[in-house]
Amino acid sequence: MRENRSLVVAYLVSEYRRITHTFIHREVAYLKQDGVSVIPFTIRHELDFEKSPYLEGEPAPESILDDPWYAYVLSTLKWLLTAPRNFASALRLAWSLRQPGARGLVYTAIYCIEAVALAEKCRRRKVTHLHNVFGDASGNVAAIAAKLLRVPLSFTFHGPDVFHEAKRWCVGQKIREAAFSVATSHYARRQLLDASGGKNADRIRVIHSGVDPDEFVPHAPLETKGEFRFLTVARVAPTKGIPVLFDAFAEAQRHSPLALSLDLVCAASPGERVAVELEVTRRNLPGLTLHFNLANPDVRALMGKSHAVVCASYAEGLPLVLIEAMALGRAVISTAVGGIPELILPYRNGLLVPAGDPLELAMAMLELATDPGLALELGLTARRTALDEFDARVETRRLKELFHAFA
């Protein structure tokens, strides 16, 4: 494939440098290493900062809201006067993406202001392609800005939140506006096809998030020595099933001949942290240790000290934390939701349980705790799955090919 060397890709994320966005930092770093000019943009200043090797030595992402208020007025007038057709097309698109009611009008106005600011910065940087991750509110901004700039637009959709609100975020229309859309699992692709009425199937590609095999040296198998350690990594959100996890852990403890422990790593705001701490205190769960807003290397270190990783979610896309645990050779237990059955094959590289059933989850936890040989076997197979099918460098090169194909 002939590559367009003038390709300059703008990457728009609502909050770029977040603890939970390591996979985006990795993707951008690999694209740059493969010769793609990538400029990260963020809408809001970060709530937290990921101490990631992918960000070391990198400039901070460009914030589109760091100018004085009058700069946005001047930029809007400039676009209106110098590119009236583009401006009119962008306004029509913004109107079609709006949500109903007065609140929707207010947010549409905000998205338009942000889009003008983004378009002005992209014009100065000679951006030739605009890519948005997640496709929700920031997707509206990206779509309007791309219409102003008249450059190709693309999205990466992870799910599940944006799929649950596909109508609100006009996912089908965004797919139609985009040169291509990336689904991070076949489950995600099915959701996008449904949102688009089965149209534009040839422009919806599956590209996984993944891991760098060189970074994931397998940890030595852990001996139980009378204790079996579980790890869960999750945002504090209803869909993550944290209460079900607590119930399952308590039930497994009641029946286990071994001492069971659980490290729960939460990405949480201060208010969410207090709520989780109060719930743990109320339940009185011995063996449970809470960790908040850990950087990715610290999470990986905890994985190395754990026998198995557990996911109790009601809804997921394809969780990178499970892929990382598998790459380290750790057994995984997960609910069979979203794209997870594409990753985990029961009793081959992990265990699957129904969502929302603490007894089934407890039984799976007990099964691994009382059969360390099974945990070891599943972990070894899981590592082969992660490295063979979810190599981040391979997947990023596929994304690079799409950028060049639509340049």
Side-chain angles (χ1 to χ4, degrees):
M1 180 183 299
R2 186 179 65 85
E3 295 187 355
N4 184 341
R5 295 187 180 277
S6 65
L7 176 68
V8 180
V9 181
Y11 249 65
L12 178 66
V13 186
S14 291
E15 295 161 345
Y16 184 75
R17 294 193 302 183
R18 292 209 66 173
I19 284 175
T20 53
H21 291 172
T22 307
F23 66 95
I24 303 175
H25 312 151
R26 179 190 296 121
E27 186 170 273
V28 168
Y30 289 173
L31 285 169
K32 288 181 177 181
Q33 290 173 15
D34 279 347
V36 179
S37 178
V38 181
I39 305 171
F41 287 91
T42 187
I43 295 178
R44 294 186 295 275
H45 291 291
E46 295 75 25
L47 299 178
D48 48 46
F49 177 70
E50 166 66 88
K51 296 177 181 177
S52 165
Y54 304 113
L55 296 178
E56 290 180 3
E58 288 291 312
E62 290 199 31
S63 172
I64 66 173
L65 297 178
D66 57 1
D67 294 326
W69 66 269
Y70 56 82
Y72 306 119
V73 175
L74 293 175
S75 294
T76 301
L77 291 173
K78 181 190 296 184
W79 281 98
L80 175 61
L81 295 173
T82 61
R85 291 185 179 179
N86 292 13
F87 194 86
S89 295
L91 284 182
R92 285 194 295 270
L93 177 60
W95 182 258
S96 67
L97 294 174
R98 78 191 187 284
Q99 297 171 29
R103 184 183 179 90
L105 288 176
V106 171
Y107 275 100
T108 298
I110 293 171
Y111 298 151
C112 286
I113 293 169
E114 293 172 342
V116 168
L118 174 62
E120 183 64 19
K121 290 178 181 292
C122 286
R123 183 189 62 78
R124 293 172 186 170
R125 300 294 297 273
K126 295 181 170 45
V127 165
T128 61
H129 190 113
L130 212 167
H131 185 73
N132 172 248
V133 183
F134 299 126
D136 46 16
S138 61
N140 288 32
V141 176
I144 299 167
K147 190 69 75 172
L148 276 172
L149 291 162
R150 292 295 173 97
V151 299
L153 169 71
S154 56
F155 298 97
T156 295
F157 293 97
H158 294 264
D161 295 347
V162 72
F163 302 145
H164 294 164
E165 297 186 287
K167 185 175 181 181
R168 175 189 178 191
W169 296 121
C170 303
V171 171
Q173 184 171 355
K174 286 173 180 172
I175 292 170
R176 292 192 295 273
E177 291 289 333
F180 66 88
S181 296
V182 171
T184 56
S185 65
H186 291 281
Y187 154 77
R189 186 173 190 272
R190 290 194 298 272
Q191 298 301 309
L192 296 179
L193 286 171
D194 182 57
S196 63
K199 299 177 181 178
N200 306 118
D202 59 327
R203 289 191 281 161
I204 304 174
R205 310 293 178 87
V206 176
I207 298 178
H208 297 121
S209 296
V211 296
D212 185 340
D214 295 337
E215 293 182 10
F216 284 80
V217 178
H219 284 251
L222 294 177
E223 296 181 12
T224 55
K225 294 182 180 179
E227 179 188 23
F228 199 90
R229 300 187 63 174
F230 294 99
L231 170 69
T232 293
V233 183
R235 290 183 293 109
V236 178
T239 58
K240 297 302 179 180
I242 292 176
V244 172
L245 175 69
F246 289 161
D247 289 341
F249 180 58
E251 180 69 15
Q253 281 186 316
R254 281 193 287 270
H255 296 89
S256 175
L258 301 177
L260 302 185
S261 66
L262 171 65
D263 288 291
L264 174 58
V265 178
C266 294
S269 67
E272 291 168 338
R273 174 171 181 163
V274 170
V276 173
E277 289 174 334
L278 288 174
E279 180 66 11
V280 170
T281 300
R282 184 185 70 82
R283 287 174 175 266
N284 187 27
L285 294 171
L288 173 63
T289 304
L290 292 173
H291 310 265
F292 292 97
N293 300 328
L294 295 186
N296 193 261
D298 298 323
V299 175
R300 201 177 303 172
L302 274 179
M303 283 182 183
K305 298 175 182 177
S306 304
H307 294 89
V309 173
V310 181
C311 171
S313 295
Y314 302 139
E316 283 287 355
L318 192 59
L320 185 59
V321 67
L322 293 184
I323 301 172
E324 291 179 342
M326 294 168 71
L328 289 176
R330 292 299 179 248
V332 293
I333 303 170
S334 178
T335 48
V337 297
I340 293 174
E342 301 172 30
L343 174 68
I344 299 175
L345 301 177
Y347 291 97
R348 289 185 58 185
N349 60 6
L351 299 179
L352 291 177
V353 298
D357 192 329
L359 292 180
E360 289 283 350
L361 182 55
M363 289 175 60
M365 295 170 78
L366 282 170
E367 187 170 6
L368 289 190
T370 56
D371 189 350
L374 175 62
L376 175 61
E377 180 183 349
L378 293 177
L380 292 174
T381 308
R383 175 170 166 78
R384 289 196 293 271
T385 300
L387 300 190
D388 291 347
E389 301 178 24
F390 296 89
D391 186 324
R393 290 193 179 277
V394 172
E395 300 301 306
T396 303
R397 288 187 185 115
R398 295 177 59 208
L399 180 60
K400 172 189 171 183
E401 290 173 0
L402 283 175
F403 284 139
H404 281 292
F406 290 94

